[in-house]
Amino acid sequence: MNQQLLAKTFVELADNLVADFDLIDFLRLLTDRCVGMLGAGAAGVLLADRDGKLRVMAASDEQVRLLELFQLQNDEGPCLECFRTGTQVIVPDLTREVDRWPRFVTAAHRSGFGAVQALPMRLRDEVVGALNLFRATPGPFDPAATSVAQALADVATISLLQQRTTHRSTVLNEQLQAALNSRVLIEQAKGKLAERQNIDMEQAFTALRGYARAHNRRLSDVARAFIDNSERLPGLCV
């Protein structure tokens, strides 16, 4: 195993905090390195969408992509079992699992695969998907290679969850900043209206809010219009 490439791969999988983060490219890197470094014949990644439904997100080649789709369409296979249980599913010889996954085994053999291992992409109790490694010939998997593959899946999972959290935090921060900006506008409008009408600040706020509700408008928009004198607000100003 190329130790330099392995170290580089871990760094690349951890480096997701960039403005142009590309999820598909990120996952394709994971599958390609599993094939290139770990001796897998092919690799694929299934990820759950926001509704918990698995989607094929990356595959090292078209053949394995179609096999992954076949699993999803027929609701059977090691990758689905791995995702549902959150544990590794290692199958050194698919011919022994015909009763377990009859349709999948047939399809895998047609695609030229005789062994598979499905590794959970999980962090603590959260399972986001599965990394699936296929091999043409039956036989035991190298435990060391399996450990490395699981480590790669773990790092990728942490990066994915970090990216999702960052995205959610960004949205939250934007919403918070918008709320803060609106609050400043409303305070300015309150002060201006209170002075103009010779009323206190609470009365001014009640007047602004009442006008916004009566006209089915956002309070911040009414406040901005009042401050800027950009439109007439009959009933608010006398």
Side-chain angles (χ1 to χ4, degrees):
M1 189 182 301
N2 187 322
Q3 297 298 321
Q4 269 191 323
L5 182 58
L6 178 60
K8 180 183 178 183
T9 301
F10 276 114
V11 171
E12 289 173 321
L13 291 175
D15 185 21
N16 72 317
L17 297 178
V18 292
D20 58 347
F21 176 76
D22 186 328
L23 175 62
I24 303 302
D25 185 60
F26 173 82
L27 295 174
R28 183 57 189 262
L29 170 70
L30 176 61
T31 60
D32 286 352
R33 292 296 167 81
C34 284
V35 172
M37 295 188 305
L38 304 179
V45 173
L46 302 179
L47 285 185
D49 61 20
R50 65 181 60 187
D51 298 320
K53 186 175 182 180
L54 282 175
R55 306 287 185 181
V56 180
M57 297 300 296
S60 59
D61 59 49
E62 181 64 12
Q63 198 169 40
V64 77
R65 187 186 75 84
L66 293 175
L67 183 57
E68 298 280 42
L69 284 172
F70 183 88
Q71 286 192 82
L72 298 180
Q73 291 165 354
N74 289 273
D75 196 33
E76 70 166 48
C79 310
L80 288 172
E81 186 171 313
C82 172
F83 174 72
R84 289 166 179 166
T85 63
T87 59
Q88 294 182 356
V89 178
I90 300 179
V91 185
D93 187 351
L94 277 169
T95 59
R96 299 182 179 180
E97 305 296 340
V98 174
D99 293 338
R100 190 177 181 183
W101 308 305
R103 288 170 293 185
F104 171 76
V105 169
T106 299
H109 282 151
R110 280 202 305 262
S111 298
F113 299 120
V116 61
Q117 55 181 343
L119 311 176
M121 297 183 68
R122 65 176 298 172
L123 180 63
R124 300 185 184 91
D125 294 330
E126 184 170 4
V127 182
V128 301
L131 168 64
N132 314 304
L133 308 181
F134 299 87
R135 199 178 58 203
T137 56
F141 287 93
D142 178 6
T146 298
S147 295
V148 171
Q150 184 64 69
L152 291 172
D154 292 344
V155 171
T157 302
I158 292 170
S159 287
L160 286 172
L161 292 175
Q162 176 64 38
Q163 183 68 23
R164 291 180 182 181
T165 300
T166 300
H167 177 68
R168 287 196 294 264
S169 297
T170 300
V171 172
L172 181 60
N173 288 335
E174 290 173 351
Q175 292 171 338
L176 178 59
Q177 188 58 52
L180 291 172
N181 293 340
S182 296
R183 189 74 249 175
V184 171
L185 282 173
I186 292 166
E187 291 299 321
Q188 291 174 345
K190 280 167 56 180
K192 182 176 180 179
L193 182 61
E195 181 180 5
R196 180 173 296 182
Q197 300 291 345
N198 193 28
I199 56 178
D200 63 34
M201 296 287 278
E202 188 60 30
Q203 289 172 317
F205 176 77
T206 299
L208 287 165
R209 184 172 61 178
Y211 186 93
R213 290 180 175 179
H215 293 81
N216 196 29
R217 298 184 60 178
R218 293 175 58 188
L219 181 57
S220 58
D221 292 339
V222 172
R224 181 180 290 106
F226 178 62
I227 293 167
D228 297 339
N229 291 318
S230 57
E231 63 179 281
R232 294 181 66 252
L233 302 172
L236 179 62
C237 304
V238 295

